[in-house]
Each structure stands twice: as structure tokens, then as C-alpha cells.
Amino acid sequence: MQFKKIKYKDLSQKNISHILSLTERGFDDIIIDGNKTQELLKNRSSNDTMSFSTMTSFILRHSEILKSPIIFDNCHLQIGYNKDDIRQFIPRNQRKIWLTKNLFN
């Protein structure tokens, strides 16, 4: 299992699409819910909805509205830092070895 760290300035439409495919709530899971985000979105469009491609293009121009960090591979996604959840990127057999070693030492 291999994951890659991508700087937000190096994000692509393909990366965003893949990240969104791993979320449960789409854009709501990856965008910071705050005043700055609301202000940027308000200034961007007067209508309530944006198309998928418009929203991904907007994110590429304003990557500061993304939660941090976003870590992903082919089938795992971690948004924000959580020391327990981040273990999903370590293969199960290695986690078992580590757990066994630390329980009995």
C-alpha cells in the first residue's frame, strides 16, 4: 500500500475527484466550514449551486479552503490528524506485529 503526500498547490482535478470518491459527504468532508470559505464562495457566485467541475476548479484556485492534512491512497482517506485513524495506512500484518511487540514488552 502506497500513499503520496501532495502539496495543495500541486493538486489536480484528478486528485480532487479521487479524494471525493473516498468521502461520505463529498465537498462537505474536505472543505473548511468557516467565514473565509463562505466569503470566497459568496463572492464567486450568486446562485446556490456550482457544477462539479466549477467547484473543483474553484478549489484548485483557493486550496486554502481545504481541511488539512488530507492523506489518501487508492482506497483510504484521512482528513485531519487523528493518531488512531491514521493507522489505516499501515498494513494490517505490520499493525499486528507492532501491537504484539508492544503488548508483551
Side-chain angles (χ1 to χ4, degrees):
M1 185 181 318
Q2 190 171 20
F3 64 93
K4 184 176 181 182
K5 179 180 179 180
I6 297 174
K7 296 179 181 175
Y8 288 154
K9 66 178 183 158
D10 298 328
L11 271 175
S12 68
Q13 195 125 10
K14 183 178 177 181
N15 294 131
I16 293 173
S17 294
H18 178 67
I19 290 167
L20 289 169
S21 74
L22 298 171
T23 66
E24 293 179 9
R25 300 178 317 140
F27 290 108
D28 290 340
D29 283 346
I30 66 171
I31 294 177
I32 296 170
D33 185 28
N35 292 338
K36 183 174 183 172
T37 301
Q38 295 303 321
E39 190 65 34
L40 285 170
L41 289 169
K42 183 179 174 184
N43 289 336
R44 167 66 181 101
S45 176
S46 59
N47 58 7
D48 291 336
T49 60
M50 283 192 230
S51 70
F52 181 84
S53 61
T54 302
M55 189 63 177
T56 54
S57 296
F58 180 80
I59 289 171
L60 290 172
R61 285 190 308 279
H62 299 283
S63 59
E64 68 271 14
I65 68 170
L66 290 173
K67 293 179 181 177
S68 177
I70 296 176
I71 304 167
F72 64 97
D73 62 14
N74 289 335
C75 57
H76 298 93
L77 175 67
Q78 175 68 40
I79 301 170
Y81 178 76
N82 181 315
K83 68 179 182 176
D84 295 325
D85 291 344
I86 205 152
R87 297 178 326 137
Q88 69 182 318
F89 292 97
I90 302 170
R92 185 175 306 237
N93 63 341
Q94 289 182 4
R95 288 192 311 247
K96 284 181 181 180
I97 291 168
W98 182 87
L99 185 61
T100 304
K101 180 181 173 185
N102 286 310
L103 281 176
F104 297 112
N105 286 335

